[in-house]
Amino acid sequence: MDVLQDIRRSRMTRSQVVAVTVALVMILLDGFDVAAMAYAAPSLSAQWGTEPVMLGYLLSASLFGMAAGSIFITPIADLIGRRWLAVGSMFVIAVGMGLSALATDEIMLLVFRLLTGLGVGGMMANLNVFVSEYASDARRGSIIGIYAAGYPIGATIGGVVAEPLITAFGWQALFLAGGVLSALMFVIALLLLPESLDFLFARQPKGALGKANRILARMNRPPLTALPELPKTVESRSGMAEIFHGTVRFRTFMLWIGYACLVAAYYFANTWTPQIIAGASGDEGLGIRTGTLANLGGIIGCFIFSALAIRFKSNRLLFGALAGAYVLFGVVFSVIPVAMGTAVLLGILTTAGIAGFYAVAPGVYTARARATGIGWMIGIGRLVSIVAPILVGYLIDGGWEPATIFYLFAVPLLASAACVAALSMSLRRQGAALPTAPTVSA
């Protein structure tokens, strides 16, 4: 019997649960580290007298780093493995957060936020692949939903601790806390995070058989006598070539465009909502609390997606989430209490949409190209999302009302829904199933 197929059809073992849990905590810290700038922005801009345009660049610096990390660093996981890239990325994040706490001007902070973003970008898509490969078929959609919740959970924790930390010690304390926690997680990942069996079987690096057997032993499975012989066509095709091969090309573009449109709207709301609410109400603390509520909604959205994924297909759930309503936020924005409640709804819908893309994308590619395909999807999305906070800075500086800006960002959500519909039709028309790795028999 095919070992990987048998593992995916079986109940998840303790070893698999531990691997997924470590990945979840790592992505939780990613959420904390990226959101830290949004929570620090009101205090930092007041202390340094930062103009809206420069603040937009500071808010986008980590997003630009995430884009570069996803595009140029994540594909390395298809060559060296999921484990080592995750551990190395965690180290970069710890350094970037620690240096951000020591920044003395906007340019220094911009550079250090860029470094942090590089680490986050290299890790996010890689861990998405890792979790999908360690999950069972029956629980993959649900686990991806729980995994995706790690990001807003981390961002929400950041909002909870931001106000007391910043009030007592200044905005630098928030970055310092993120650096210390990231360094601790680096050590834990180094000790507990295993390599992906899919990677070992598909790429077959030196010592792959021994590594695979040690992982199988922890799953209480018999050892293998040999690794499979890879087809010649698989050996000769690179990860980049696969994501643009045949019908996969169209699906790749639909993933890129759909995800980019979604995260542009998502990061506009997550980065600027605290600042906009603080400006409208004259209360910095209220801005932070509103951002926290939006991220709390994101957590709820991921768990709703996780629960529904047990019964419904992930692509249908994704399309439903994208039908939600940024326009509603614009309509009620002038009523602050109502706007805060609507922030929860927006968090539910947009973060459930991101979880949906994470669940759908791995099934488009094989193990030899999965990190490359998803890394580029997230990277291209980040490149587009970078424009959002910067654009909003210019729009506010030009006198645009916040409600009008929220109307504007309803448009990419509709485009994202259209891309998901086209992707679903392509998969259904081709009768596409999850790509399989080479058969590996015990």
Side-chain angles (χ1 to χ4, degrees):
M1 175 180 285
D2 185 335
V3 172
L4 290 178
Q5 187 180 63
D6 186 43
I7 289 173
R8 291 189 178 110
R9 291 178 177 177
S10 303
R11 185 189 182 103
M12 289 182 64
T13 64
R14 180 178 178 275
S15 176
Q16 289 169 276
V17 172
V18 169
V20 170
T21 301
V22 171
L24 172 62
V25 177
M26 293 173 80
I27 202 68
L28 183 151
L29 280 176
D30 283 353
F32 181 100
D33 295 341
V34 173
M37 187 65 235
Y39 294 128
S43 176
L44 181 147
S45 60
Q47 180 180 331
W48 285 354
T50 305
E51 297 296 325
V53 171
M54 185 62 193
L55 191 60
Y57 280 104
L58 287 173
L59 289 168
S60 285
S62 59
L63 302 182
F64 183 83
M66 289 166 70
S70 295
I71 292 172
F72 299 111
I73 297 177
T74 299
I76 298 174
D78 284 332
L79 300 176
I80 67 172
R82 323 300 191 213
R83 164 184 155 80
W84 285 112
L85 185 63
V87 171
S89 296
M90 196 78 252
F91 177 80
V92 172
I93 293 170
V95 172
M97 288 296 288
L99 291 175
S100 294
L102 303 177
T104 56
D105 59 46
E106 286 118 332
I107 300 302
M108 287 181 64
L109 184 58
L110 190 73
V111 172
F112 298 147
R113 292 302 294 163
L114 176 63
L115 178 64
T116 303
L118 281 171
V120 174
M123 178 180 294
M124 284 188 68
N126 179 43
L127 287 181
N128 181 197
V129 173
F130 178 87
V131 169
S132 70
E133 291 175 344
Y134 262 95
S136 65
D137 287 341
R139 292 290 181 264
R140 182 169 293 107
S142 298
I143 288 172
I144 290 292
I146 296 172
Y147 162 80
Y151 189 92
I153 287 173
T156 303
I157 291 173
V160 170
V161 303
E163 193 170 359
L165 272 178
I166 292 173
T167 301
F169 305 106
W171 57 266
Q172 295 91 341
L174 193 59
F175 292 111
L176 183 60
V180 171
L181 292 173
S182 298
L184 177 62
M185 199 60 220
F186 161 75
V187 176
I188 293 173
L190 190 63
L191 295 174
L192 297 181
L193 201 69
E195 186 52 85
S196 162
L197 282 173
D198 292 67
F199 167 79
L200 293 174
F201 293 158
R203 284 291 178 179
Q204 301 187 4
K206 184 178 180 181
L209 180 59
K211 294 176 183 177
N213 281 334
R214 285 192 290 273
I215 294 171
L216 290 171
R218 290 197 290 271
M219 295 181 179
N220 298 317
R221 291 182 172 273
L224 306 175
T225 57
L227 293 174
E229 182 179 347
L230 298 176
K232 296 298 182 182
T233 55
V234 172
E235 287 181 341
S236 61
R237 185 180 300 160
S238 67
M240 187 60 68
E242 180 181 317
I243 68 174
F244 292 116
H245 179 72
T247 56
V248 178
R249 183 191 304 114
F250 173 78
R251 296 164 195 166
T252 292
F253 285 131
M254 290 302 96
L255 286 173
W256 285 4
I257 298 171
Y259 184 78
C261 288
L262 172 60
V263 296
Y266 174 85
Y267 277 106
F268 150 63
N270 270 44
T271 56
W272 271 103
T273 293
Q275 181 71 11
I276 289 174
I277 292 290
S281 65
D283 185 348
E284 289 184 9
L286 184 61
I288 291 176
R289 288 193 292 275
T290 304
T292 304
L293 282 174
N295 284 297
L296 178 62
I299 298 170
I300 296 170
C302 286
F303 282 108
I304 290 174
F305 182 93
S306 177
L308 293 177
I310 297 175
R311 183 170 181 178
F312 301 102
K313 291 184 177 180
S314 295
N315 56 351
R316 294 178 182 175
L317 295 175
L318 171 56
F319 183 84
L322 292 173
Y326 259 63
V327 176
L328 180 62
F329 198 106
V331 170
V332 301
F333 188 84
S334 59
V335 185
I336 298 298
V338 180
M340 292 177 68
T342 310
V344 178
L345 174 62
L346 296 178
I348 290 173
L349 294 172
T350 54
T351 313
I354 289 175
F357 272 101
Y358 288 173
V360 169
V364 175
Y365 307 108
T366 68
R368 292 178 62 85
R370 202 164 283 145
T372 301
I374 297 177
W376 274 75
M377 179 193 80
I378 293 178
I380 295 296
R382 293 289 181 266
L383 285 175
V384 175
S385 72
I386 290 165
V387 178
I390 296 175
L391 173 63
V392 174
Y394 280 106
L395 292 177
I396 292 176
D397 207 40
W400 279 52
E401 292 296 323
T404 307
I405 298 173
F406 275 93
Y407 285 132
L408 175 66
F409 277 90
V411 176
L413 287 176
L414 297 177
S416 183
C419 289
V420 171
L423 175 64
S424 298
M425 286 188 291
S426 173
L427 291 170
R428 190 163 55 245
R429 186 167 54 246
Q430 296 295 326
L434 182 69
T436 57
T439 300
V440 185
S441 299

